[in-house]
Amino acid sequence: MTTLTSPRALSLTQQPVTRPQVTDLRTLLAEAGEDGLLRNHRRLLAVSHHTTAGFPDRVLRRRLGDDRARLDTYLEALAGLFPPEAGYHHDRLQLRDELSSEQKETEPLNADAHLSFIGGGFTNCAEFAAGPGGPLEERPLWFVDFDGVYRDRDNTEIRRTRRTTFVGYNGEERVASAELEVPVPRGRVALDLASDLVSTDPSGGPTIPAGALLQPILEAISTHGVTHGRIQLHLHPEERGAGLTVNEFEALLMTRDLVELFESPLRWAAARQAGNALLSALRALRISRERRERLRDRVLARPTPRILRLRRDLRLPLLPDGPPGAPARPVQGRYQSPILVQWDPAPAGVRRVRATLWRFR
């Protein structure tokens, strides 16, 4: 008989060998001798610390089933819609003032990977049922790395080290929630919910970091003694023309490439390739032949951001900040930011977001 234990977290690393690469993380856990994490807890939260590597979200996993061939077909379709080195602004390193000359020599040209992650239905963390006899004994735990291998300016192959944190737990309870009104400056397509400056005064006036809007939820972590858990941000059901993601808030990616993506989602794919890529993606998602051909023709006639699989929620995992029992803090990779994106203007310049704090048991 297996005894279920208290929440536990561990981190493992890997180095991919292909671009893109799909890994069943159950294998990574088994090789590290940590597959007991799946047996000793009813739930598992898997967390990527990266902006171009993560997990198919729940809807995408359900659409793909457990079929690796379908996932590969879907990734090939995304590569057709977002081909590598297709003239993206993010890849014009001479314009990236935040990079030193030395960094520009090794910086990957990976705008395609960012756009595939944002527009393809991928997330920085995913939840799974676990425990004795649970689905993960039979079903894969896919981790998709869009650009773990690349070549620098000297054509030297670089293999990146990817880190995943696993949190085993047995259940969760909601301990606090708040309805947020997030001001979105006029003309903005993307807003960093952690550090962008916004004004809560409709007529302008003093600005505050957008992250300050989350302060009641952050304070509730200590108030309620949360040591393991998550913060979930979810767009209000009536919000349209917007999405949420965790990614890199790089200026050219957010103010140029994302704008162009929303204006013309098929702009980087050749006309014939776009049609084939759309058909492949719809086939991988198990859309019937008659319907997918109809959808392809409609999209090619009038491509809109609706064809993208932009998410309406995001999750920020919480782990202890210090010795056992210490209050938790949000876990984010070096370049990860919670981001609100929109392709239609926000009514009255405000987006409504519900923030919820969950405690793991």
Side-chain angles (χ1 to χ4, degrees):
M1 178 177 178
T2 301
T3 301
L4 299 176
T5 61
S6 300
R8 175 176 172 243
L10 65 92
S11 294
L12 298 175
T13 62
Q14 60 174 317
Q15 283 192 313
V17 296
T18 62
R19 185 191 200 272
Q21 177 164 309
V22 178
T23 304
D24 184 348
L25 292 181
R26 296 178 306 166
T27 302
L28 192 66
L29 284 165
E31 290 175 349
E34 294 287 0
D35 48 337
L37 190 72
L38 304 180
R39 296 190 300 271
N40 298 335
H41 299 87
R42 291 194 178 98
R43 303 287 300 171
L44 180 78
L45 183 73
V47 182
S48 168
H49 293 249
H50 310 283
T51 57
T52 55
F55 312 92
D57 69 13
R58 184 177 303 172
V59 175
L60 183 55
R61 293 200 306 270
R62 186 171 65 245
R63 278 287 188 180
L64 295 171
D66 300 321
D67 191 330
R68 171 61 189 274
R70 289 188 183 277
L71 176 58
D72 289 341
T73 298
Y74 185 72
L75 296 179
E76 290 171 6
L78 287 179
L81 297 176
F82 307 115
E85 300 183 35
Y88 307 100
H89 297 277
H90 177 71
D91 292 346
R92 300 175 189 179
L93 302 184
Q94 71 276 16
L95 304 178
R96 299 273 299 276
D97 294 337
E98 82 279 11
L99 299 175
S100 67
S101 298
E102 292 76 15
Q103 288 174 319
K104 290 177 182 179
E105 290 299 314
T106 58
E107 180 72 8
L109 305 181
N110 64 350
D112 61 304
H114 286 286
L115 296 175
S116 295
F117 187 99
I118 294 170
F122 291 84
T123 177
N124 64 306
C125 61
E127 300 159 73
F128 303 88
L136 285 180
E137 288 193 357
E138 302 292 338
R139 296 178 180 174
L141 201 171
W142 283 326
F143 178 83
V144 178
D145 193 333
F146 284 99
D147 75 325
V149 178
Y150 69 97
R151 292 189 176 275
D152 66 11
R153 306 299 88 77
D154 293 326
N155 203 35
T156 300
E157 183 178 270
I158 306 294
R159 294 174 58 192
R160 311 172 89 171
T161 298
R162 299 306 207 181
R163 180 184 176 197
T164 306
T165 295
F166 303 88
V167 185
Y169 61 105
N170 298 310
E172 61 183 2
E173 58 181 335
R174 184 173 62 183
V175 296
S177 63
E179 301 291 337
L180 311 179
E181 292 191 347
V182 181
V184 183
R186 184 183 301 273
R188 291 291 293 273
V189 167
L191 185 74
D192 186 334
L193 294 175
S195 60
D196 257 342
L197 296 178
V198 297
S199 175
T200 56
D201 182 349
S203 62
T207 59
I208 59 172
L213 300 174
L214 280 173
Q215 198 57 36
I217 290 293
L218 296 175
E219 291 175 353
I221 295 173
S222 296
T223 300
H224 293 276
V226 176
T227 59
H228 296 76
R230 63 183 175 91
I231 294 173
Q232 181 175 11
L233 302 183
H234 201 293
L235 285 171
H236 188 279
E238 295 180 2
E239 291 291 346
R240 295 292 182 268
L244 294 168
T245 189
V246 172
N247 214 271
E248 179 182 4
F249 200 85
E250 190 278 315
L252 293 176
L253 181 67
M254 292 292 128
T255 64
R256 302 295 295 277
D257 292 318
L258 209 58
V259 170
E260 293 182 356
L261 172 66
F262 291 155
E263 289 176 347
S264 180
L266 304 179
R267 67 181 302 118
W268 294 290
R272 182 175 179 180
Q273 186 180 32
N276 291 337
L278 288 169
L279 281 178
S280 294
L282 294 169
R283 183 169 61 252
L285 297 175
R286 296 189 281 187
I287 306 298
S288 68
R289 173 179 293 184
E290 179 181 351
R291 187 171 173 226
R292 64 179 178 247
E293 290 179 351
R294 187 167 62 248
L295 287 171
R296 176 203 57 187
D297 294 342
R298 184 187 306 167
V299 169
L300 290 177
R302 189 182 178 189
T304 72
R306 293 187 194 180
I307 72 169
L308 304 171
R309 294 208 68 261
L310 288 157
R311 294 175 50 77
R312 292 182 58 83
D313 73 325
L314 64 81
R315 292 166 173 79
L316 300 176
L318 301 170
L319 291 178
D321 184 17
R329 65 173 180 82
V331 175
Q332 292 176 239
R334 179 178 177 183
Y335 297 107
Q336 287 180 324
S337 293
I339 301 171
L340 185 152
V341 299
Q342 62 174 22
W343 53 95
D344 289 331
V350 171
R351 291 287 184 185
R352 291 169 294 171
V353 177
R354 182 175 184 83
T356 307
L357 172 63
W358 297 86
R359 186 208 326 263
F360 291 165
R361 302 191 299 267

